[in-house]
Amino acid sequence: MTTKRIGSSDIAAIAGLNKYKTPLECWAEWTGRVERDGENDAMIMGKMAEPALAELYKRKTGKQIELQAIKFPSPVFDGFVSVPDAFRFTPENKIDGIVELKTASFRGLSAWENDELPDPYALQVHWQMG
């Protein structure tokens, strides 16, 4: 019996692209065989940085975004959820997109060298859009 939800942060691990978690570890969490790890320092710092990153995004793009932790369950697959970091709004105050805010440690900067979205984050964004 599945005891956990599957969210966008799990997708890279499912695809074998997460350097911190394997697909087997995800399965063991979802089936209740092991407890899901709590937040580590990097995850906590990433969440703490989201308001500052949102403000930087607003200043650089001129777009209005709002941090909102809204959980969207899949209407088709039980346990599949999406929780975007923020929503982007039109000047008429209508939602016109989602925003995923990311931080990287000094050691993780090489993944962004070509100014391209790294595959694990691309998968996460595709999941959020679904």
Side-chain angles (χ1 to χ4, degrees):
M1 178 169 89
T2 301
T3 59
K4 304 291 183 184
R5 65 183 177 86
I6 299 171
S8 63
S9 297
D10 301 312
I11 298 307
I14 292 168
L17 297 175
N18 185 328
K19 59 185 174 182
Y20 304 108
K21 189 180 289 187
T22 68
L24 179 60
E25 289 170 315
C26 287
W27 172 83
E29 290 174 354
W30 302 324
T31 58
R33 286 167 173 75
V34 298
E35 287 295 316
R36 187 179 285 255
D37 290 336
E39 291 182 320
N40 60 35
D41 290 348
M43 294 163 76
I44 293 167
M45 290 301 294
K47 285 186 179 178
M48 290 174 64
E50 284 180 1
L53 293 170
E55 182 61 30
L56 180 63
Y57 179 89
K58 289 177 192 180
R59 289 181 186 201
K60 286 192 164 241
T61 66
K63 301 283 186 178
Q64 181 61 30
I65 68 169
E66 296 296 329
L67 296 172
Q68 297 178 6
I70 300 173
K71 186 184 296 185
F72 294 97
S74 169
V76 179
F77 300 104
D78 187 37
F80 285 22
V81 297
S82 174
V83 186
D85 291 335
F87 295 91
R88 189 179 65 201
F89 292 86
T90 66
E92 297 79 30
N93 208 31
K94 295 184 183 204
I95 293 175
D96 77 342
I98 62 169
V99 178
E100 279 297 313
L101 301 164
K102 299 294 174 211
T103 59
S105 69
F106 180 72
R107 288 176 285 174
L109 288 177
S110 63
W112 299 85
E113 281 180 346
N114 298 325
D115 239 4
E116 294 179 12
L117 187 61
D119 289 342
Y121 299 134
L123 287 173
Q124 184 176 17
V125 170
H126 283 286
W127 181 269
Q128 299 288 24
M129 291 174 14

